[in-house]
Amino acid sequence: NEKAAARSNALYRQWSNKAVSFTYHPGSTFKIITAAMALEENVVNLNSTFVCNGSIRVGVENIHCWRSYNPHNTQNLALAMQNSCNPAFIQIGQRLGIERFYDYFEAFGLTDATGIDLPGESTPKAGISYWRRENMTGVDLAVASFGQNFKISMIQHLTAISAVANGGKLVQPYVVESMTDSNGNIVWQHEVNELRQVVSSSVCREVARILEEGVSGDGGSKNAYVAGYKVAAKTGTSEKIGDDETLRIGSYAGFAPSDDPEIAIILIVDEPSC
């Protein structure tokens, strides 16, 4: 009945972990993943340049940069990342192509549940939160390259970013390290589960350096700077496509120390008011 359904929904919302049970549009924090894909496939390098005229036409769509009023003009990969330039990352996605982009989207674990030891993990299916490979279009690829118009969970995204921090190794996330009996004896110990090598360690070092320069320099992530620490970070803003497109999600993702990571974090502000 309605009362039982309402009670069930209330309990679900009360006990659900938003980072695990819900999906969201990652926005420009996903550019970390796109850059790693492209560098691994050698379709771009640190000297590649990209032109931003404020927008770029893909098919019949004219897709704008967030700074369309004052275009970024010509940039290399590092500047494109630090400027969070959408047209540049659309061009990067086009160089990858749909098949290779989708291969890495899968390899980074973004079409599967992470298997974290928490209840209620979201398991989005192709066609609901993202595209089936055979249905993905050039416009889908363009907007996906800068993290828009698809949904993943926060733990999925952080696990993928952590693969970059881990030298390209995708590792299954977990919470419980060990279990002990009443006498303090360890009766169960977690074993690290490395799922696969997604990209090379050399590519990860390049991405980390670009992200760190965006923090320690004058990039969009400079507010993450902490004296004495090397922090690799990326900002993101996404529209709530399919929900209320006037609303936004603000996010910040990164890891530290950038040259020997020990911690990765993602911060989400759902529907910021200013």
Side-chain angles (χ1 to χ4, degrees):
N1 58 34
E2 291 184 10
K3 182 178 179 181
R7 183 176 185 276
S8 177
N9 288 334
L11 286 171
Y12 175 74
R13 289 190 171 276
Q14 180 179 359
W15 292 104
S16 291
N17 184 327
K18 193 168 184 177
V20 172
S21 301
F22 296 92
T23 57
Y24 80 116
H25 300 278
S28 289
T29 54
F30 191 80
K31 289 171 180 171
I32 297 171
I33 308 302
T34 303
M37 298 177 185
L39 285 167
E40 183 68 22
E41 285 297 305
N42 294 312
V43 296
V44 301
N45 58 49
L46 298 181
N47 296 316
S48 298
T49 56
F50 312 94
V51 176
C52 171
N53 294 316
S55 66
I56 184 170
R57 183 165 291 278
V58 181
V60 297
E61 300 293 335
N62 193 39
I63 303 172
H64 291 272
C65 186
W66 68 270
R67 206 176 77 169
S68 57
Y69 59 90
N70 185 17
H72 294 114
N73 300 315
T74 301
Q75 315 149 91
N76 61 18
L77 179 61
L79 279 175
M81 178 78 83
Q82 291 155 17
N83 290 333
S84 201
C85 179
N86 291 345
F89 273 82
I90 290 172
Q91 294 167 61
I92 292 169
Q94 290 172 331
R95 295 188 189 187
L96 276 164
I98 290 172
E99 289 300 320
R100 283 189 289 193
F101 181 92
Y102 209 98
D103 285 345
Y104 281 99
F105 194 81
E106 290 180 328
F108 272 106
L110 299 173
T111 60
D112 298 309
T114 65
I116 191 170
D117 50 339
L118 288 172
E121 181 174 10
S122 173
T123 55
K125 302 296 183 182
I128 298 174
S129 293
Y130 47 90
W131 344 258
R132 293 184 185 276
R133 183 191 292 263
E134 62 270 22
N135 295 335
M136 195 173 185
T137 68
V139 173
D140 292 331
L141 174 64
V143 294
S145 299
F146 58 88
Q148 189 64 71
N149 211 26
F150 66 92
K151 288 183 177 181
I152 53 179
S153 70
M154 297 172 201
I155 192 62
Q156 280 180 303
H157 193 23
L158 187 58
T159 300
I161 291 170
S162 294
V164 176
N166 288 332
K169 298 181 180 70
L170 186 72
V171 178
Q172 184 179 40
Y174 68 97
V175 176
V176 179
E177 177 67 32
S178 62
M179 297 181 187
T180 59
D181 62 21
S182 58
N183 295 317
N185 301 308
I186 295 176
V187 296
W188 179 85
Q189 181 75 42
H190 172 80
E191 294 183 5
V192 174
N193 184 14
E194 286 187 8
L195 301 174
R196 53 189 165 271
Q197 183 83 29
V198 184
V199 294
S200 66
S201 58
S202 60
V203 161
C204 294
R205 286 193 296 271
E206 289 179 346
V207 174
R209 183 180 61 79
I210 290 170
L211 294 171
E212 192 279 327
E213 288 176 352
V215 173
S216 60
D218 195 33
S221 302
K222 60 187 176 183
N223 287 338
Y225 176 75
V226 179
Y229 293 88
K230 288 186 175 181
V231 177
K234 180 74 188 75
T235 58
T237 305
S238 56
E239 298 175 355
K240 300 190 80 168
I241 302 294
D243 298 312
D244 184 340
E245 296 179 20
T246 65
L247 300 175
R248 298 290 183 268
I249 298 171
S251 57
Y252 214 98
F255 50 89
S258 61
D259 52 355
D260 187 20
E262 294 184 13
I263 185 170
I265 190 169
I266 188 164
L267 304 175
I268 308 292
V269 182
D270 194 356
E271 301 179 15
S273 58
C274 59

